[in-house]
Amino acid sequence: MLGPFQKRLKRFRPNPPQVLAFGFMIMIAVGSVLLSLPVSSANGVGLPYIDALFMATSATCVTGLSFFNIGGHFSTFGQLVLLLLVQIGGLGFMTVATLAALVFRRRISFRERLILQEAMNQSNTEGIVRLIRKVLLYALIIEAIGALVLAVRWMFEMPWGQALYFGLFHSISIFNNAGFDLFGMFPERASSLMHYVDDPIVNAVTMGLIVLGGIGFIVISDLLQYRQHKKLTLHSKVVLTVSGGLIVIGTLVIFLFELTNPQTLQPLSPIGKVFSSMFQSVTARSAGLSTLDTADLRQATQFFILLLMFIGAAPGSSGGGIKVTTFAILIGAMVAMVRGKEDIVLFRHRIAKDRIYKAITFTLLSFFLIVLAAMILSTTEEFPFLGILFEVTSAYGTAGMSMGLTAQLTTFGKIVIILMMFIGRLGPVTLAFTLTPKTEKELFRYPEGKITIG
């Protein structure tokens, strides 16, 4: 005879958001155990579990925050564990599981298609398996091209074997918007990509990988089929327009704010000034790499980058934030209100009410979570408040940029940042669906009421 708990457990069938949450938890748990092993460290001493958990979460949630020198602290085994977590976390574990099912010619059930629909932020399950095939193909091709170009560039300064490894590691890390780098193994160099602040090849390839990883596979697929269909979907138009606009505006703002800063742009050549301004604008949206020291930026620039991290990348990508489509709907709502219009119209398409409610809910939940976490950390961490707010936003937006707080976090602070990275990767709405029971349809509606606004 089964007990009451066993009966409930047997009847329990997790919904798609719960499957995604549990899947990420399992990946993080396995990764943390592997990273805590002595074999993962270059010095043969295992990491404390909380540090291993932090690094596994940062990799799986493709954030890139780290208090370790990745190239110097981790062994090749540890680096490969991080890289595998980044790849699976960026593509989505359900995408990788679908690949395994396709390889073994196993049929994808309707329930699994629903989970894939949730993972890819699709409105229905039609063509979802075909999309997954494209996602895997595009990712492998883009990462391979990026790895080859970077490897050829770095062969001029390191052995070809090391250059190939560096090219592969950084291509996967950059395309998945993780932001881990190995250049810390060279003591004479600055961290991240600061050594290549005015290198045209490294800058162009890195920014290209970040943008392709940030616009999402749905948009990439749409662009590749443009010659055949001669049109783009509304989603692609919004993502490309808003992403392009944010890159241009971000480049101009950072250039103007930092032009006379002797610690950032002032000493650079004209081409270096342009490259570094554009690079910070691109990377702020979710990538985490940098060619300038974020701590040396002016406070106005740091706060502006914080706003870019909050907006984030596109749905269906490996990036975080509230997403550019959400930002577009909010701007559209403001414009419609100012013009006295009832509908939000983007590219001659009226936005459905449920999309508007979801955008507002997502933005407010994200804002409240970031503010709450920043307030909590301001009482436990000895650091300026802007730096704390910056770090929390970076964790939630899976951006991976840091003003130096990560290296000084207390154990409690690490737990808070871990939670922010996890929630940011899943999204607060998905997490809410995971934690709340299935809602029943309301059988009645309350009478309409009016309150004064403004």
Side-chain angles (χ1 to χ4, degrees):
M1 293 291 292
L2 296 175
F5 176 75
Q6 291 172 311
K7 289 180 179 178
R8 284 198 298 269
L9 188 63
K10 190 175 181 180
R11 287 197 303 266
F12 175 68
R13 289 178 63 83
N15 58 36
Q18 289 172 336
V19 172
L20 292 177
F22 295 152
F24 273 104
M25 288 179 184
I26 292 170
M27 285 173 54
I28 290 169
V30 173
S32 63
V33 171
L34 292 175
L35 291 176
S36 66
L37 298 175
V39 70
S40 293
S41 300
N43 59 8
V45 178
L47 288 177
Y49 185 74
I50 184 64
D51 293 346
L53 180 64
F54 187 99
M55 294 304 302
T57 306
S58 183
T60 305
C61 299
V62 289
T63 305
L65 286 175
S66 173
F67 32 76
F68 292 113
N69 177 336
I70 303 297
H73 184 88
F74 288 99
S75 64
T76 302
F77 176 80
Q79 293 168 11
L80 291 176
V81 169
L82 283 172
L83 195 62
L84 183 61
L85 291 175
V86 166
Q87 183 72 88
I88 298 176
L91 293 178
F93 77 95
M94 278 304 301
T95 303
V96 178
T98 303
L99 171 63
L102 294 174
V103 168
F104 291 105
R105 300 183 180 278
R106 190 177 70 81
R107 182 178 175 274
I108 309 299
S109 69
F110 180 69
R111 178 172 174 76
E112 290 168 334
R113 292 170 192 264
L114 289 175
I115 299 171
L116 289 170
Q117 173 192 336
E118 179 73 23
M120 299 302 295
N121 283 304
Q122 294 295 285
S123 57
N124 56 64
T125 60
E126 183 180 356
I128 191 69
V129 176
R130 186 165 58 251
L131 175 62
I132 295 301
R133 288 196 184 100
K134 291 179 180 178
V135 165
L136 294 165
L137 180 63
Y138 298 157
L140 292 176
I141 291 175
I142 293 170
E143 289 173 352
I145 293 173
L148 182 62
V149 176
L150 290 175
V152 171
R153 165 63 185 84
W154 287 328
M155 281 180 187
F156 290 95
E157 55 188 70
M158 61 183 71
W160 68 268
Q162 188 180 35
L164 286 174
Y165 177 62
F166 267 53
L168 179 65
F169 185 98
H170 290 92
S171 181
I172 294 175
S173 175
I174 295 167
F175 177 69
N176 288 289
N177 284 198
F180 289 125
D181 72 275
L182 299 177
F183 290 100
M185 68 171 56
F186 302 118
E188 71 279 3
R189 291 192 182 184
S191 61
S192 198
L193 296 179
M194 296 178 195
H195 185 75
Y196 302 98
V197 63
D198 54 1
D199 188 298
I201 296 177
V202 174
N203 274 267
V205 174
T206 303
M207 285 190 285
L209 288 171
I210 293 171
V211 170
L212 288 174
I215 61 176
F217 296 106
I218 304 165
V219 177
I220 294 174
S221 176
D222 208 15
L223 288 171
L224 293 175
Q225 294 177 358
Y226 179 77
R227 292 182 63 181
Q228 178 182 350
H229 301 297
K230 300 299 181 184
K231 64 177 181 179
L232 295 174
T233 62
L234 175 63
H235 172 82
S236 296
K237 289 178 182 178
V238 171
V239 168
L240 292 172
T241 302
V242 178
S243 297
L246 288 173
I247 290 173
V248 172
I249 293 171
T251 301
L252 291 174
V253 170
I254 293 170
F255 182 84
L256 293 174
F257 283 176
E258 296 297 318
L259 185 59
T260 57
N261 188 342
Q263 294 180 295
T264 55
L265 292 190
Q266 192 181 62
L268 301 179
S269 64
I271 191 67
K273 288 182 172 67
V274 174
F275 271 142
S276 55
S277 298
M278 182 177 292
F279 194 98
Q280 310 322 304
S281 177
V282 170
T283 195
R285 301 263 309 291
S286 199
L289 289 168
S290 181
T291 55
L292 297 175
D293 191 338
T294 306
D296 290 337
L297 298 172
R298 290 190 167 119
Q299 285 193 344
T301 310
Q302 292 169 345
F303 188 76
F304 179 75
I305 288 176
L306 184 152
L307 296 178
L308 292 179
M309 292 191 298
F310 182 73
I311 295 171
S317 73
S318 54
I322 64 171
K323 304 294 190 291
V324 292
T325 48
T326 301
F327 180 69
I329 290 175
L330 296 177
I331 296 297
M334 182 182 69
V335 172
M337 180 61 68
V338 170
R339 296 177 61 187
K341 302 292 184 180
E342 184 177 349
D343 296 324
I344 299 175
V345 178
L346 301 175
F347 294 98
R348 298 184 180 181
H349 285 77
R350 175 172 51 85
I351 305 302
K353 296 294 184 190
D354 68 310
R355 302 289 94 185
I356 300 171
Y357 291 146
K358 187 172 183 179
I360 295 172
T361 302
F362 195 15
T363 303
L364 287 176
L365 277 175
S366 300
F367 176 77
F368 290 144
L369 283 168
I370 289 172
V371 170
L372 178 62
M375 290 173 63
I376 292 172
L377 288 182
S378 66
T379 64
T380 63
E381 312 300 315
E382 295 294 332
F383 208 77
F385 183 75
L386 179 59
I388 292 173
L389 185 62
F390 189 97
E391 212 85 1
V392 170
T393 307
S394 177
Y396 179 81
T398 68
M401 299 188 76
S402 175
M403 289 173 57
L405 174 61
T406 298
Q408 305 177 29
L409 285 171
T410 62
T411 300
F412 181 80
K414 291 174 185 178
I415 294 172
V416 172
I417 296 296
I418 286 171
L419 290 174
M420 292 301 293
M421 290 190 289
F422 183 74
I423 296 172
R425 183 67 180 97
L426 282 181
V429 175
T430 299
L431 191 65
F433 284 145
T434 301
L435 299 176
T436 55
K438 184 178 180 182
T439 55
E440 296 180 359
K441 186 176 181 180
E442 293 182 350
L443 301 179
F444 63 93
R445 297 179 70 187
Y446 290 99
E448 184 179 277
K450 293 186 178 180
I451 59 175
T452 304
I453 302 294

